[in-house]
Each structure stands twice: as structure tokens, then as C-alpha cells.
Amino acid sequence: QVPLVESGGGSVQAGGSLRLSCAASGYTPSTYCMGWFRQAPGKEREGVASIDNYGTTSYADSVQGRFTISQDNAKNTLSLEMNSLKPEDTAMYYCAAAVGFSGSRCSQVWPYNYWGQGTQVTVSS
């Protein structure tokens, strides 16, 4: 088990910034993906950003250049720095972990077998 707990969501005006954090407890596997996903009402869950055990990052085209994913292995913490937020970024954001995967698979939803409860991000125009 890899319990994940997100924090840092909230409401912000367009152009503003938010920082999401995800605390992971339990053991740290040697091969893994950690990712941020989001789901807006009526839409499918989509990948936002991911990072693997090698530190390789991947971003959705819609957030490239605005969002930055990072991890602090000493603290077992995953973060997502979100800048220049847009109303279309409004969604529930989830932290997730995929044990035993890395590389290109990290940008896909199916490898992720541990999920947080989500944190709401609302961007007003």
C-alpha cells in the first residue's frame, strides 16, 4: 500500500498560481511513476504531469511551460507548481503512484494503482 494525501488546492483568479503537494507514506519502490491527474465535471480523467524514479518528467501539452512537477525523495513528497492558471484548469486534481513502471508509461492512466482522495482547484476568469 502507498497511501497518498493531497493538499494545496483552492480558488484563484486566472493568471494566478497554486502549489499542490502529495505526501506518500509506506515504502519507496525502486521503480515507479508519480503523477498528477485531473478530472473536470463531465470529462474523463486526464494526465497532467508525471515523474519517475529516474527524475524523468512528462507534461500534458495543455500545461507545458506553466506547470512544474517535482519530488522530494527524502520527504516522500510530490509537488505540482501551477502558474498562469486558466479557467480551463479547473478540476479535481489527484496524486497517483504506479509501482513497477517508469518512462513513457508514466504519462498514461492505466499503470497507476494508488490514488489520493483529490484536491479541488478552481480558477475564475
Side-chain angles (χ1 to χ4, degrees):
Q1 294 291 323
V2 185
L4 304 169
V5 180
E6 302 99 333
S7 61
S11 297
V12 65
Q13 288 190 329
S17 299
L18 283 173
R19 183 180 179 88
L20 305 184
S21 295
C22 174
S25 58
Y27 81 105
T28 301
S30 58
T31 303
Y32 63 85
C33 303
M34 292 293 295
W36 288 98
F37 295 80
R38 66 187 182 188
Q39 188 167 19
K43 295 187 177 181
E44 292 187 354
R45 188 168 297 187
E46 63 174 355
V48 175
S50 66
I51 188 168
D52 68 10
N53 52 287
Y54 298 107
T56 302
T57 59
S58 177
Y59 296 92
D61 290 343
S62 59
V63 306
Q64 182 76 46
R66 299 189 297 122
F67 291 11
T68 302
I69 189 171
S70 61
Q71 61 183 350
D72 184 332
N73 291 331
K75 298 180 179 179
N76 278 357
T77 301
L78 180 73
S79 298
L80 184 69
E81 185 74 34
M82 305 185 294
N83 298 316
S84 302
L85 283 162
K86 304 176 181 180
E88 49 264 44
D89 294 319
T90 295
M92 185 71 79
Y93 283 70
Y94 298 90
C95 170
V99 176
F101 296 93
S102 63
S104 60
R105 292 178 176 85
C106 294
S107 60
Q108 302 177 51
V109 177
W110 65 265
Y112 289 84
N113 44 6
Y114 299 101
W115 294 84
Q117 81 288 352
T119 185
Q120 179 68 36
V121 171
T122 302
V123 184
S124 58
S125 58

